[in-house]
Amino acid sequence: MSPDYPFDDASAARAVIHEDGTVAAWSEGARRLLGHLPSQVVGRPAAELLADSQGIRPPGTAEERWSGTLALRHSDGHTVSVWVLAHLRRPGGDGPATWLAVTPLTDGCPSPEDDDLMRIALTQSPCATMVFDERLRLHGVNDAMAELVELPAARVRGLRTTDFGAGPQYAEIETYLRRALATGERQEMQTYMKATSETRAHAWLARMAPLTDAAGRVRGVCVTAHDFTEHFLARERLQLVNEASVRIGTTLDITRTARELAEVCVPALADFVSVDLLDPQEYGGEATGPLTAPLRLRRAAHHSINPDAPEAVAEPGQVDTYPGISPQATSLIAGRTVVTAVPTGDLDEWRAWDERRVQRVKEFGIHSTMSVPLLARGTSLGVVVFTRYRRPDPFSSDDVLLAEEVTARAAVCIDNARRYSRERETALALQRSLLPRSLPRTAAVDAASRYLPAARAGVGGDWFDVIPLSGMRVAMVVGDVVGHGIQASATMGRLRTAVRTLADIDLAPDELLTHLDDLVVRLSEEAGGDGSTGEVGATCLYAVYDPVSRRCAMARAGHPSPLLLPPDGTPRRVELPAGPPLGLGGLPFESAELHLTEGTVLAFYTDGLVESRERDVDAGHRLLSDTLAASSGPLEETCDRVLHALLPQGGAADDVALLLARTRGLPASQVATWDIPADPALVAPIRKQVVDRLARWSLSEASFTAELVVSELVTNAIRYGARPIRLRLIHDAATLICEVSDTNHTAPHLRRAKTWDEGGRGLLLVAQLTQRWGTRHTADGKTIWAEIGLLEE
């Protein structure tokens, strides 16, 4: 008749009927029962087979199974009274549904009272039992099984499992029956379905045992059905708890953790789950004391069995106010789970307060809610609300225990995420306060920078700086403190302050790193507490560029070398002596000096920029070089392109500092130099030459101040310094610099002159007339310098 019936041996009469009432198929058993050939009935109305249609109620559209006795017309005209079982079969695709009508033909089968096989099976079975013969025909059922399927035991003999229903479970049972017959071994099958006599689905365990006669021949199969719903639900609860421990808290992101909690519980525990957290701004970061209504809760996440969660009355990020009559507020204030049921009126007062929720309850048929507080370490974090409407059963005491277990795990994860976020925000604020908010404008370089904290590890100890030095020079520094968090940021701040202090006394790069290394050693000893080192570690690169000579001196302490991009060339790494990391102590550092063409770009960075799990360090350097070579625009745009090209979409694994500097050169026409004879009488001619040079530079407005400064500095050099003495003037659009150099290493200092003293006021006068002044030591002696501000037009 059909591939669905391989044993169509006329043991039962079967007919397939379309929804319009016409016969679609006719079995050999049906021909034997009524005498009609398939060609005589297929395509014709099935009602023509009825001897008397009066009093017969056809199955309704909502019904899927019907059984009863019918009077059918035989082909020779006499009437045959037949018990018929009919059930609706819905196709898997878009085809029309059909009805399968079947009645067993019991001729040739022994009566129940004479059937030894049935008697043995019923005697040995302690529960709902059915027995099939070796051809998978049902021989009989006991009373428990007949009550479960709600069919008379005498009427179902000769049927197969697929005759009882169209669900996939019936075909699966027959597969296991065949396996038991073929192997002679016991089989077990688990399924979750609603029996005919049940109001809701249960978990069933079907055990199938081959039945053998005295000769050991398999005569059939005994099937017993066991309701193991409690065991099944307990296993599912345990599985949900295990899944929650794996899926919840995969990151230290509060919103993602809340979303993971909602997703784990739908549909295993509820049809809709929402997670609302106390607004930290309302409670100073966290609520540690007693809570009072009304409560302001921010929706962190929700999840539904329906796409886009149409049940939600609040969107993620939205803040809602909950009065004391709400289950959410009651649960949070009392610190316990609150289970409510709509049919019992538990939510009437709450629903009257919020019309939106009334509409959602009516629209989706919500019947039960469960509000579970999020509590961790004595702190109230928020509330999780579980809602059911598609699942018909209300929340049970076991559901409450399960929800509290999962919520408690999630609360710890959310609390960890909040603590991490708070510490990260504090460290980030500290980091930002310690890093330069903007880079100074200098005549030596154009500069741009970026700092990005690590995506997961948080703020670290990376830093950078641009420090204006005397003589139009500029220092550029980038460093990396080992570790992350507030401690690393604080250490970074101390090192950055130390670098600025050491740079202010114009130390050479290698000398500066030596002093910085001593500082890190002392910090390590303080951190270790027992005199041991190694608690603090850092790397650093320090460079000084002079726009007059266009030479750049740099040294590094375990830090990556910078990349150099000439104006018309390809990027290359600067070859620098590596130098040990800071904190080892007692090891030397070496400087290197190179000439830079005006417009050369120097790229200083920390290792977080080039190191990645997806590629090795060399590949990162090549990518950085290619990106710099392809970027010829402003440095701010180049910074963005570099970060976009080198960092993954989700952020870097380590924090990143990037400093780009494009060099400028100061033209020789903006520099003037004089060799000063050691004769005080020649100071006046020098002053006149300075005034004349300022006039040629169109800086006559600064002549008075410059003349006084030059006079004082040159006079002091002649009086207290050592030959040779040299005067140098440098200017750009904003500053005029006067420098006097000699070979004496003794630095001058300000002193307070007494009222009647004739001298001692020269440097005080210089300090008052200039923006700043100072001394820098050189290999040959010292240089006294002073900066005079120029009025910008």
Side-chain angles (χ1 to χ4, degrees), residues 733-781:
T735 306
L736 173 64
I737 298 176
C738 302
E739 294 183 346
V740 177
S741 304
D742 67 84
T743 57
N744 190 332
H745 291 274
T746 303
H749 59 276
L750 289 174
R751 65 183 180 90
R752 183 179 297 277
K754 296 180 181 179
T755 304
W756 306 108
D757 287 349
E758 295 183 1
R761 298 181 178 84
L763 287 181
L764 179 62
L765 182 63
V766 170
Q768 295 296 317
L769 292 177
T770 60
Q771 290 181 333
R772 60 178 188 147
W773 75 280
T775 304
R776 70 172 180 267
H777 291 274
T778 65
D780 301 327

Side-chain angles (χ1 to χ4, degrees), residues 504-750:
D504 197 48
I505 60 177
D506 271 311
L507 291 179
D510 55 337
E511 295 181 38
L512 183 142
L513 292 180
T514 300
H515 287 281
L516 198 62
D517 182 51
D518 293 338
L519 172 62
V520 174
V521 170
R522 290 196 297 273
L523 293 178
S524 299
E525 293 173 351
E526 294 174 6
D530 57 356
S532 62
T533 61
E535 294 292 332
V536 177
T539 64
C540 184
L541 175 84
Y542 184 77
V544 176
Y545 173 67
D546 186 345
V548 177
S549 65
R550 301 182 186 180
R551 301 195 66 80
C552 182
M554 58 182 71
R556 63 184 178 125
H559 201 85
S561 294
L563 281 181
L564 185 150
L565 176 62
D568 54 354
T570 57
R572 61 180 176 86
R573 294 183 67 181
V574 178
E575 297 297 330
L576 284 180
L582 299 175
L584 297 183
L587 298 176
F589 300 93
E590 297 182 50
S591 291
E593 190 172 287
L594 57 156
H595 183 272
L596 300 180
T597 307
E598 183 174 5
T600 298
V601 174
L602 289 171
F604 304 91
Y605 54 90
T606 55
D607 53 9
L609 181 66
V610 293
E611 292 181 355
S612 172
R613 296 186 182 94
E614 289 77 22
R615 61 176 182 269
D616 57 29
V617 177
D618 291 336
H621 283 121
R622 287 194 297 271
L623 184 56
L624 175 58
S625 298
D626 295 341
T627 306
L628 288 175
S631 303
S632 58
L635 293 181
E636 293 290 341
E637 296 181 4
T638 303
C639 283
D640 293 334
R641 287 185 183 138
V642 168
L643 296 183
H644 179 75
L646 273 80
L647 299 186
Q649 189 69 27
D654 194 5
D655 50 340
V656 172
L658 173 65
L659 174 64
L660 299 182
R662 180 177 284 121
T663 62
R664 295 176 179 174
L666 204 63
S669 59
Q670 293 179 228
V671 181
T673 304
W674 292 268
D675 290 323
I676 306 298
D679 184 357
L682 298 178
V683 173
I686 295 297
R687 289 202 304 266
K688 178 148 187 340
Q689 294 178 37
V690 168
V691 171
D692 293 342
R693 178 53 62 98
L694 293 179
R696 288 200 297 271
W697 285 347
S698 301
L699 298 177
S700 298
E701 72 277 4
S703 296
F704 177 76
T705 302
E707 188 176 3
L708 287 176
V709 170
V710 167
S711 178
E712 291 298 332
L713 294 184
V714 170
T715 301
N716 280 346
I718 293 174
R719 182 175 302 173
Y720 304 108
R723 299 178 61 183
I725 301 171
R726 176 171 294 180
L727 169 65
R728 185 171 72 161
L729 297 183
I730 310 170
H731 85 90
D732 65 357
T735 306
L736 173 64
I737 298 176
C738 302
E739 294 183 346
V740 177
S741 304
D742 67 84
T743 57
N744 190 332
H745 291 274
T746 303
H749 59 276
L750 289 174

Side-chain angles (χ1 to χ4, degrees), residues 43 304-305 364 388 518 565 574 579:
S304 169
I305 57 175
F364 293 96
R388 283 183 179 176
D518 293 338
L565 176 62
V574 178

Side-chain angles (χ1 to χ4, degrees), residues 400-459:
V400 171
L401 293 176
L402 177 60
E404 290 176 345
E405 172 71 16
V406 174
T407 301
R409 292 171 180 259
V412 173
C413 296
I414 290 176
D415 187 51
N416 289 338
R418 294 184 72 164
R419 289 168 179 262
Y420 166 77
S421 298
R422 187 161 55 246
E423 180 178 342
R424 185 176 188 272
E425 290 170 1
T426 302
L428 187 58
L430 175 62
Q431 179 89 339
R432 287 172 175 167
S433 68
L434 296 175
L435 288 174
R437 297 190 178 183
S438 61
L439 299 179
R441 297 176 59 185
T442 69
V445 295
D446 292 321
S449 63
R450 293 291 186 273
Y451 172 78
L452 291 179
R456 295 191 178 184
V459 177

Side-chain angles (χ1 to χ4, degrees), residues 192-211:
Y192 195 83
M193 60 181 292
K194 184 178 78 68
T196 306
S197 60
E198 295 181 316
T199 57
R200 63 186 181 92
H202 280 74
W204 293 98
L205 171 64
R207 287 178 172 163
M208 307 169 196
L211 299 176

